[in-house]
Amino acid sequence: PMISEPGVRFHYAISAGVRFGDSEWKNVINEQLQNNEDKILELLNTYNVPLVEEDGSLLTSTKDVE
């Protein structure tokens, strides 16, 4: 991964959004993400997507992901 510098951040979280107030759909999305975490991590690893901690440091294993 590219290393972030002061004022230039190259690492960020991936997120999903739903319409404000649509808590039912939000719950469905969250449940699917949780239920498919292993498949999602496998897919990211297949395409060599670097996974990083909040501070930008590289994860050495997907087992580090909570």
Side-chain angles (χ1 to χ4, degrees):
M2 298 180 74
I3 306 299
S4 296
E5 303 171 359
V8 182
R9 185 174 173 184
F10 288 109
H11 68 279
Y12 55 91
I14 296 174
S15 64
V18 297
R19 271 188 302 258
F20 181 76
D22 197 348
S23 57
E24 183 178 339
W25 185 238
K26 178 182 172 182
N27 291 336
V28 169
I29 296 295
N30 283 333
E31 183 179 334
Q32 290 299 315
L33 289 171
Q34 289 171 359
N35 290 342
N36 293 289
E37 181 179 7
D38 291 340
K39 292 177 186 176
I40 293 167
L41 289 173
E42 182 180 343
L43 181 64
L44 293 172
N45 283 323
T46 297
Y47 289 97
N48 298 313
V49 175
L51 303 176
V52 296
E53 296 282 1
E54 285 290 323
D55 65 2
S57 61
L58 186 64
L59 287 174
T60 56
S61 168
T62 56
K63 294 177 183 174
D64 297 339
V65 178
E66 294 181 15

